[in-house]
Amino acid sequence: MIDSAMDVFLYAPAQFANLCLIARTLEVFGFRECHVFDPHRLVRERYGKSYTQRLRTVSAGAFSKIRWQRLESDPIGFLDAQRGRRVATVASPSASSLYEFRFRNSDWLIFGPEARGLDSAFLQSCQAHVTVPQSGVTESLNLAVAAGIVLSECRRQTSLNLLESVGSA
C-alpha cells in the first residue's frame, strides 16, 4: 500500500456495478476510504442476496475492504469544510490533461455521476479540472474506467515522487 493523504469523493454514482468496480480499483491502489454523496442509496449496511452476490463478484471482495463515508446532503458544504485542493474529473477538452497535471498529496479526487457528470455549481467549487485525453470520437469513458485511469496516474506520480508541493504554482 502507498501511504497518501489523497482522498476520493464520488458524487452521486447511479450504477451499482460501477461502484463495485471503483471499490476494486480503490483497494488495488491502496485507498482504504471513499467519501460518497449517495442520493441513490447504493452504499448500504446490508444488501439483499442478489446484490450481495454481485457485490462480491464484481468487486472481487474489495467493496467490504473500503471504508465508505456516506453523505446524504450538501456535498459542496462537506468539501468546503475539508483541507486540500478539489480536483474534478471531467470529460472536457478545456480541462487540464491528466498526463500533464501534477497531483498533490492533499488533493480530493472527485468523480461525477455516470450520465451527466458534475453539475456546474459543483464544478465551480473545484480548484482544478482534469480530463483523460481522448483520441476517438466516443463522448466519454465509463465512470469506473475513468476512475481507474485517474487513480493509476495518481499512484504513478506518488511512486515516482512527482506530486506537486502545496506551495508550488
Side-chain angles (χ1 to χ4, degrees):
M1 179 178 85
I2 298 171
D3 186 28
S4 174
M6 216 174 287
D7 288 290
V8 176
F9 186 92
L10 301 178
Y11 181 91
Q15 296 178 12
F16 185 70
N18 276 339
L19 187 65
C20 291
L21 290 170
I22 290 169
R24 189 173 184 163
T25 303
L26 288 167
E27 201 284 324
V28 163
F29 287 119
F31 289 88
R32 298 291 175 242
E33 181 175 79
C34 183
H35 297 355
V36 57
F37 171 56
D38 190 21
H40 303 293
R41 294 198 22 83
L42 296 180
V43 176
R44 302 177 189 170
E45 290 284 326
R46 296 177 52 106
Y47 294 93
K49 187 176 181 179
S50 67
Y51 270 79
T52 299
Q53 184 176 355
R54 284 174 50 203
L55 185 140
R56 273 195 230 117
T57 303
V58 177
S59 81
F63 196 92
S64 62
K65 295 174 183 166
I66 302 299
R67 190 172 44 251
W68 297 98
Q69 301 294 331
R70 191 170 175 276
L71 263 75
E72 294 189 31
S73 63
D74 195 19
I76 294 174
F78 168 79
L79 286 170
D80 282 346
Q82 308 305 312
R83 292 184 178 199
R85 176 178 64 170
R86 288 177 287 228
V87 180
T89 55
V90 296
S92 170
S94 65
S96 299
S97 166
L98 174 65
Y99 306 123
E100 296 170 5
F101 187 80
R102 300 257 321 259
F103 289 97
R104 297 176 185 164
N105 231 12
S106 61
D107 281 344
W108 280 82
L109 309 175
I110 301 168
F111 300 95
E114 293 89 339
R116 66 186 193 291
L118 294 164
D119 62 42
S120 60
F122 200 89
L123 285 172
Q124 289 174 5
S125 77
C126 295
Q127 290 81 26
H129 301 162
V130 297
T131 192
V132 177
Q134 297 178 206
S135 299
V137 295
T138 302
E139 184 178 331
S140 65
L141 292 166
N142 166 279
L143 172 63
V145 172
I149 293 168
V150 171
L151 293 170
S152 176
E153 176 61 14
C154 289
R155 287 308 187 219
R156 185 190 75 81
Q157 288 185 24
T158 301
S159 68
L160 295 174
N161 293 319
L162 298 175
L163 298 181
E164 180 181 271
S165 299
V166 176
S168 299

